[in-house]
Amino acid sequence: MAAKFGIVLRSLRYLANKPLSCRMICTSSSLRCEDRPQFPGSKSKFTYKMSFLDPDKEEGIPVYRVMNSQGEMIPESEDPKIDKKTVLKMYHDMTLLNSMDKILYESQRQGRISFYMTNFGEEATHIGSASALHPEDLVFGQYREAGVLMWRGFTLDQFINQCYGNMDDKGKGRQMPVHYGSKDLHFVTISSTLATQMPQASGAAYAYKRAQNGKCVICYFGEGAASEGDAHAAFNFAATLNCPVIFFCRNNGYAISTPTSDQYRGDGIASRGSGYGMMTIRVDGNDVFAVHNVTKEAREICVTQNRPVLIEAMTYRIGHHSTSDDSSMYRKKGEVVKFDTNNPIGRLRSYMVKQGWWDDEQENQWKEESKKMVMEAFAKAEKKKKPSPKEIFHDVYDEIPPHIQKQMDSLKEHVSKYEDKYPVQSHDAWS
């Protein structure tokens, strides 16, 4: 009897030291631990029926919108109730950006600037998202987010000075056109290389989290950039470190000349969010109010929960990728016309007309006014001199070291000696 009691006692002690799940299998026939996987890398249940996940048979992630192509709110409950003054600013900025794009695109074709990229068809992604952010939230752009800067107060003079690379360009003529940046407006200078801004955004957001400053970071990128390794690193770091960053994907159908059908097999970019553990939503990128709503909510999630959010804005690139591209070589004209009839500017205008806030007379007046504003800034920028050659040697060291000073003096002496060989008069003075 004592021996049997000793065996039972030792068994109880053994079970007491084992995990609860293993004690269940030994003490209960209804709860078995082999039905409750304990793998650290998943949160699944076991299944005894073999079934492969087939993405081709799954329904696509729905696209959130609040306004149809006629400018009508559907449903009314999703109306952000934005006041008239703000809506007018939205429309003014979207159309002013459109006017600037037309003039600067033509100026490149005339050889007056070296390069340009338009924003035709994607204006709502810029303005809808920018209007939902706080002015001090940090922006990492790709190269088609000029509207975000315009919303924050970047002037036409600043845009066009940068494209000309003249003496009033804050980048001192060192960047390609459309590679804007503004420390005052919390907009990190754009890089040409795809997706480099994405891990930078995750790192900046982690710093914001550590600082507990109540701000978030937003990172814009195209669906083509999402194929870069930097994109995956950025998603994973942001998710595992719980960083307050909004990843805003503009899925405009093409990565330069590569259509989405050749870029990825899955359901767009939004389908990747869940895999990385990020809250995710897909939105109609031609609906400025829907974009505003999702960005506003994403920002709230970021700053209150310290979680990254992925937004995929479904839109269409009406223009060429850049002035170096001819999109007629890889897409049919009818395709562009089809999407242009549902452009975000026309949709917002229809909404404003229905509200009694806009009419044809105001439209024609604003068209003339906006064109005049762009042309005046264009004329001023074109007359300004290029930066001084001395700027080549600045902004690398806090104080210019002797060997760099020697190089600068040598260049100055050389140019002075052979002034007739260099366009000295078109540049700002050395002094």
Side-chain angles (χ1 to χ4, degrees):
M1 186 70 175
K4 290 182 179 179
F5 179 77
I7 292 172
V8 172
L9 185 60
R10 285 194 298 272
S11 298
L12 291 173
R13 285 174 179 167
Y14 171 79
L15 289 173
N17 291 323
K18 299 302 287 180
L20 179 61
S21 57
C22 287
R23 279 183 268 158
M24 286 179 181
I25 189 173
C26 298
T27 58
S28 171
S29 60
S30 61
L31 292 172
R32 301 180 59 82
C33 71
E34 60 258 36
D35 293 327
R36 300 286 188 271
Q38 298 302 306
F39 304 121
S42 72
K43 47 186 180 182
S44 312
K45 293 181 179 180
F46 280 123
T47 180
Y48 297 96
K49 180 181 179 181
M50 184 172 62
S51 177
F52 290 93
L53 293 176
D54 186 349
D56 293 342
K57 295 180 180 178
E58 294 177 359
E59 288 190 10
I61 297 171
V63 179
Y64 169 78
R65 76 170 182 175
V66 301
M67 181 170 59
N68 64 20
S69 56
Q70 288 76 47
E72 299 166 335
M73 285 293 178
I74 305 173
E76 289 289 336
S77 61
E78 294 298 307
D79 187 344
K81 304 293 184 183
I82 299 175
D83 62 273
K84 177 181 177 181
K85 182 179 178 181
T86 303
V87 171
L88 288 176
K89 174 173 169 52
M90 286 177 162
Y91 188 74
H92 283 155
D93 283 357
M94 289 166 70
T95 48
L96 183 59
L97 177 62
N98 204 261
S99 296
M100 183 178 77
D101 278 349
K102 291 174 183 175
I103 290 170
L104 289 179
Y105 182 86
E106 289 302 319
S107 74
Q108 191 282 333
R109 287 295 186 243
Q110 296 165 8
R112 300 163 91 163
I113 61 175
S114 61
F115 178 81
Y116 195 69
M117 302 182 81
T118 64
N119 303 276
F120 299 139
E122 301 180 56
E123 299 89 352
T125 63
H126 304 187
I127 303 305
S129 59
S131 61
L133 298 169
H134 286 205
E136 293 187 353
D137 291 336
L138 187 61
V139 178
F140 285 84
Q142 186 165 309
Y143 43 54
R144 215 184 296 276
E145 283 80 35
V148 178
L149 264 174
M150 185 172 282
W151 179 268
R152 291 192 169 195
F154 207 66
T155 65
L156 288 172
D157 287 331
Q158 289 174 305
F159 279 117
I160 301 176
N161 285 340
Q162 196 283 327
C163 289
Y164 265 96
N166 61 33
M167 58 187 289
D168 286 336
D169 168 24
K170 295 297 183 182
K172 302 182 179 180
R174 297 168 179 164
Q175 280 274 22
M176 288 177 63
V178 308
H179 288 53
Y180 311 113
S182 174
K183 185 176 180 180
D184 293 339
L185 300 177
H186 308 281
F187 192 103
V188 178
T189 302
I190 293 165
S191 301
S192 290
T193 313
L194 281 183
T196 54
Q197 78 277 14
M198 298 182 71
Q200 294 167 5
S202 295
Y206 183 62
Y208 276 18
K209 173 187 174 182
R210 295 284 300 272
Q212 298 182 13
N213 58 18
K215 304 173 188 175
C216 82
V217 175
I218 187 167
C219 178
Y220 294 90
F221 60 100
E223 85 287 345
S227 296
E228 296 286 338
D230 279 349
H232 301 280
F235 293 157
N236 205 41
F237 272 112
T240 56
L241 295 174
N242 294 313
C243 301
V245 54
I246 300 170
F247 291 109
F248 193 104
C249 176
R250 294 176 292 94
N251 191 333
N252 63 19
Y254 291 90
I256 308 183
S257 60
T258 307
T260 53
S261 58
D262 291 336
Q263 292 180 54
Y264 53 76
R265 180 64 184 269
D267 182 25
I269 309 305
S271 62
R272 305 176 192 180
S274 180
Y276 283 104
M278 293 188 290
M279 295 189 71
T280 305
I281 191 168
R282 178 176 282 166
V283 64
D284 181 351
N286 292 347
D287 180 347
V288 67
F289 295 134
V291 175
H292 174 90
N293 284 355
V294 298
T295 308
K296 183 178 180 181
E297 185 62 25
R299 186 189 186 279
E300 182 69 13
I301 292 167
C302 283
V303 299
T304 59
Q305 301 181 35
N306 276 325
R307 293 187 64 182
V309 179
L310 173 61
I311 298 172
E312 183 181 21
M314 310 306 292
T315 181
Y316 186 80
R317 194 192 77 213
I318 298 296
H320 305 296
H321 173 73
S322 71
T323 49
S324 302
D325 172 50
D326 180 6
S327 63
S328 66
M329 299 297 291
Y330 54 85
R331 60 183 183 182
K332 297 178 180 179
K333 184 178 180 180
E335 176 184 322
V336 178
V337 172
K338 170 188 170 184
F339 283 97
D340 196 22
T341 56
N342 190 30
N343 71 80
I345 290 177
R347 193 186 294 193
L348 180 58
R349 183 187 173 193
S350 295
Y351 170 84
M352 292 163 58
V353 170
K354 292 179 188 300
Q355 302 300 312
W357 298 347
W358 202 251
D359 55 35
D360 289 342
E361 183 179 348
Q362 289 171 297
E363 177 73 14
N364 293 331
Q365 183 179 345
W366 171 242
K367 276 185 178 179
E368 290 300 317
E369 184 182 346
S370 60
K371 182 179 178 180
K372 182 181 178 181
M373 290 164 60
V374 176
M375 290 303 298
E376 287 177 351
F378 179 82
K380 286 189 293 182
E382 195 170 38
K383 292 176 183 177
K384 293 176 182 177
K385 292 184 176 182
K386 299 296 183 183
S388 169
K390 70 180 180 181
E391 296 299 346
I392 297 172
F393 305 95
H394 289 177
D395 302 323
V396 176
Y397 299 95
D398 183 37
E399 295 182 8
I400 297 179
H403 71 286
I404 298 295
Q405 184 65 51
K406 184 178 179 180
Q407 292 176 32
M408 184 164 66
D409 293 341
S410 176
L411 178 62
K412 183 178 181 181
E413 180 183 350
H414 174 82
V415 172
S416 298
K417 186 176 180 179
Y418 300 101
E419 278 194 17
D420 59 320
K421 306 296 183 182
Y422 296 96
V424 176
Q425 300 304 318
S426 64
H427 285 261
D428 194 19
W430 279 86
S431 57

